[in-house]
Amino acid sequence: MSSKGLIKRSEDFSKWYNELVSKADLAEHSDVRGCMIIKPYGYAIWEKIKDQLDQMFKETGHQNAYFPLFIPKSYLSKEANHVDGFAKECAVVTHYRLKNAEDGSGVVVDPDAKLDEELIVRPTSETIIWNTYKKWIQSYRDLPILVNQWANVVRWEMRTRLFLRTSEFLWQEGHTAHSTKIEAVEETEKMLNVYAQFLEQFMAIPVIKGVKTENERFAGAEETYCIEALMQDGKALQAGTSHFLGQNFAKAFDVTFADKNGIQNHVWATSWGVSTRLMGALIMTHSDDKGLVLPPKLAPLQVVIVPIYKNSTQLEEISNYVNELKQELLKMGVSVKFDNDDNKKPGWKFAEYEMKGVPLRIAIGPRDMENKTVELSRRDNFNKTTISQNGLASKISNLLIQIQNDLLDHANSFLNENTYFASTIEEMNKILNSKGGFVEAFWNGESKTEQKIKELTKATIRCIPLEESNTGKCIFTGQANSKKVLFARAY
RNA sequence: CGGGGUGUAGCGUAGCCCGGUUAUCGCGCCUCGUUUGGGACGAGGAGGUCGCAAGUUCGAAUCUUGCCACCCCGACCA
């Protein structure tokens, strides 16, 4: 149950985000630092995301499996870069038993129950999975392995935000094994495209596809592909990553296969993931000062019907009509709720469903019953129209498609309008300090240069876009033949 | 993990500096009635370990210390 209004985005975007997450009933903080409770309404959206992605993974030949939460500490250290990247943020299990304190003050860790080998709570599962794949793979006939898992992972974060960065989060992680480098790279790119397609077609979020620089690469990867989205406050958000892992994990875990000639080779690997962070992307892409805005394809509730009446006779008449309409809509696969709660006035309901981002609202009163009309109101642009009850269900169904498309168009325009080019550091700072956005610029490919630019602008290279682009003079060193990359301040 | 801020009923808050009956107000909640085309109104009612723990004191929401959580800014990261 949410109380009135949100702070305006223009006043305090960060506060707006926090209030929205809370008032739209998406999530709340738990008593454990950095951990979140995803509430039923928020989880319903995540389930939509999950179900659709799961279907897309299966359509591309993947199967789900489940690997354990706990990973022996020794596994993590087998791949040098990997351990460097994750060691600082791992939760560690050291004991397996509690006992009553002798002074009666409660339970304490039983010092006699110390684990011989400590377990880490997975920050990601490459190590335990590759330790397993070693047993699964003997010959090229065992390849490829195309496995995904839906899981929770823990990374001990210093600074957290609901959905955007929490110590525990939900995600999926795909882990594949291939006999050739080409096939593994293809898989990495294929899954990046699946993500991009999902974000655009279902979340109505346009993304830039690219690869990360060495600095930003996943710990243990040869190449990290990513999709980057632009939020309404002009900051970039990494929405998904797909890694070409080369033979790094195969070598670390000694995973080899016999090829057709009987020669032993190391296996080629990929991994790819998206997380509950997508919820943050969804919120910060479409929502407005009235609350959440959901694309119809991800809305747990697509249509809400609010009756307006003065007495029970009127309500009954309206109900009779609405129940028929509801059946028709449900048959068309449209999710719909008739909110006939007598304790809340229509105005209250309007505001409430706006906060929760229900894409389409229908209001029906005695006037409508008389004229055989209803009032349709769109959440995304607040357009209100009074239309005939004739053929209403299919009009609604079409309108939902229209809303889905309009949200993507709108987000696309925003992305285009907020992508700039800068040829000097001053220009870049000017852009970033005024409204933010993506800034294209040339970069000479050196980490040192990237670091310097970061110090001067607080912007990082979000990606080197996959699209072919021309070369030019490095924004920092002036070096010719530098490649075009995308800078932004980022979440 | 460093610097700053905050924590009082489900939510938002007054009181704290300067310790002293029964902890303020609004929203929400419950009951009854009237209402219902953009967050209704009246009457009555319930709801509190003042973040947690020690300490100072005759007496602590108020003072001291420690801890926990959240928010903002850094460093780090999806």
Side-chain angles (χ1 to χ4, degrees):
Chain A
M1 214 38 66
S2 53
S3 57
K4 277 192 184 178
L6 297 171
I7 191 165
K8 285 189 165 57
R9 285 164 295 176
S10 55
E11 274 179 57
D12 188 340
F13 192 82
S14 175
K15 194 169 182 195
W16 166 84
Y17 177 86
N18 291 336
E19 287 186 3
L20 174 48
V21 168
S22 160
K23 292 185 176 177
D25 257 346
L26 300 178
E28 62 191 48
H29 290 280
S30 82
D31 285 346
V32 180
R33 178 200 184 86
C35 293
M36 70 177 158
I37 291 157
I38 304 175
K39 301 178 78 174
Y41 190 64
Y43 199 80
I45 298 168
W46 173 244
E47 278 181 312
K48 290 262 180 186
I49 291 174
K50 189 180 165 196
D51 290 350
Q52 180 56 36
L53 278 171
D54 198 63
Q55 188 184 323
M56 293 169 87
F57 296 157
K58 284 171 182 161
E59 281 166 3
T60 45
H62 302 85
Q63 290 179 298
N64 285 331
Y66 187 78
F67 292 82
L69 174 67
F70 300 124
I71 298 177
K73 196 179 68 180
S74 59
Y75 286 19
L76 196 73
S77 47
K78 288 195 181 177
E79 210 290 328
N81 287 321
H82 192 67
V83 69
D84 279 354
F86 286 106
K88 296 181 296 294
E89 50 189 35
C90 285
V92 185
V93 180
T94 56
H95 292 75
Y96 59 86
R97 193 164 63 212
L98 300 172
K99 64 175 189 179
N100 288 316
E102 284 171 15
D103 62 4
S105 61
V107 287
V108 294
V109 173
D110 185 344
D112 293 335
K114 194 163 165 40
L115 290 168
D116 287 341
E117 180 172 5
E118 289 154 348
L119 299 170
I120 62 168
V121 180
R122 63 181 164 218
T124 179
S125 302
E126 274 76 6
T127 58
I128 196 153
I129 283 176
W130 280 87
N131 189 67
T132 307
Y133 283 0
K134 177 185 166 71
K135 301 170 201 165
W136 291 1
I137 299 166
Q138 267 123 54
S139 94
Y140 71 94
R141 294 181 200 275
D142 297 321
L143 296 171
I145 294 178
L146 304 174
V147 162
N148 174 66
Q149 83 165 342
W150 290 94
N152 58 338
V153 287
V154 170
R155 297 180 187 175
W156 213 261
E157 295 293 345
M158 290 299 122
R159 197 172 167 189
T160 59
R161 307 268 324 265
L162 291 175
F163 292 119
L164 296 173
R165 176 168 291 107
T166 46
S167 293
E168 180 195 20
F169 56 92
L170 306 183
W171 78 345
Q172 56 70 218
E173 44 181 328
H175 295 274
T176 69
H178 307 265
S179 52
T180 64
K181 176 177 179 176
I182 290 175
E183 194 184 302
V185 170
E186 277 173 3
E187 167 77 6
T188 312
E189 289 173 353
K190 182 198 282 178
M191 298 322 287
L192 185 79
N193 286 325
V194 165
Y195 289 154
Q197 197 189 350
F198 172 74
L199 264 87
E200 294 191 0
Q201 294 186 1
F202 289 83
M203 303 187 76
I205 301 176
V207 294
I208 307 292
K209 293 186 274 192
V211 295
K212 288 293 189 189
T213 62
E214 197 183 338
N215 280 337
E216 305 271 327
R217 201 175 286 158
F218 175 75
E222 297 275 305
E223 191 83 271
T224 287
Y225 292 68
C226 62
I227 48 173
E228 294 284 328
L230 187 63
M231 303 295 100
Q232 288 183 59
D233 62 346
K235 285 170 80 175
L237 184 82
Q238 178 177 306
T241 49
S242 183
H243 314 290
F244 168 61
L245 302 173
Q247 295 174 309
N248 293 342
F249 285 90
K251 286 177 179 165
F253 288 88
D254 192 27
V255 186
T256 58
F257 70 101
D259 67 17
K260 286 180 183 172
N261 303 315
I263 296 169
Q264 292 291 322
N265 291 298
H266 284 288
V267 175
W268 298 87
T270 82
S271 68
W272 27 274
V274 296
S275 70
T276 34
R277 178 177 246 206
L278 287 178
M279 295 285 292
L282 186 64
I283 295 162
M284 290 193 290
T285 299
H286 303 300
S287 300
D288 61 27
D289 292 345
K290 297 275 190 190
L292 190 61
V293 174
L294 291 172
K297 286 184 183 174
L298 295 181
L301 186 60
Q302 295 171 310
V303 178
V304 64
I305 305 172
V306 177
I308 293 153
Y309 55 92
K310 295 206 191 296
N311 53 54
S312 56
T313 316
Q314 285 182 352
L315 177 59
E316 202 177 323
E317 271 175 42
I318 293 168
S319 297
N320 288 339
Y321 167 69
V322 166
N323 286 330
E324 274 176 44
L325 176 64
K326 244 177 92 171
Q327 290 312 312
E328 228 180 312
L329 284 169
L330 289 174
K331 252 184 254 168
M332 300 177 83
V334 174
S335 56
V336 55
K337 174 179 171 181
F338 177 42
D339 186 351
N340 59 358
D341 182 347
D342 192 48
N343 287 323
K344 304 275 190 283
K345 290 191 46 162
W348 191 93
K349 294 175 185 174
F350 293 172
E352 182 68 9
Y353 291 111
E354 278 161 9
M355 184 65 81
K356 291 199 156 185
V358 178
L360 209 48
R361 182 184 72 226
I362 299 174
I364 309 179
R367 261 194 337 252
D368 292 303
M369 290 307 287
E370 200 174 311
N371 302 331
K372 299 244 176 282
T373 58
V374 301
E375 183 193 81
L376 265 184
S377 178
R378 282 173 64 156
R379 174 63 186 91
D380 61 324
N381 60 14
F382 296 106
N383 275 355
K384 263 191 211 179
T385 48
T386 299
I387 64 165
S388 161
Q389 290 175 4
N390 271 336
L392 185 55
S394 59
K395 283 180 206 159
I396 288 169
S397 176
N398 289 333
L399 193 48
L400 288 170
I401 293 166
Q402 184 69 46
I403 292 171
Q404 181 82 30
N405 293 336
D406 288 354
L407 282 173
L408 179 59
D409 286 349
H410 189 253
N412 256 320
S413 309
F414 180 84
L415 176 61
N416 293 331
E417 284 160 17
N418 291 282
T419 302
Y420 309 90
F421 176 81
S423 52
T424 65
I425 294 289
E426 291 69 37
E427 267 179 53
M428 187 186 289
N429 264 323
K430 206 172 156 190
I431 294 161
L432 293 171
N433 290 334
S434 56
K435 48 207 159 184
F438 281 133
V439 183
E440 296 176 328
F442 293 109
W443 168 62
N444 71 353
E446 286 177 18
S447 283
K448 240 192 294 177
T449 309
E450 184 183 7
Q451 193 55 40
K452 281 284 178 199
I453 297 171
K454 186 181 175 184
E455 283 164 24
L456 293 169
T457 64
K458 290 182 178 175
T460 48
I461 298 176
R462 299 321 302 154
C463 69
I464 304 159
L466 292 183
E467 281 175 23
E468 289 293 320
S469 74
N470 47 346
T471 57
K473 275 199 217 163
C474 174
I475 189 168
F476 184 71
T477 63
Q479 199 173 313
N481 273 326
S482 293
K483 50 193 163 185
K484 197 188 269 183
V485 299
L486 208 55
F487 284 89
R489 290 182 184 152
Y491 276 97

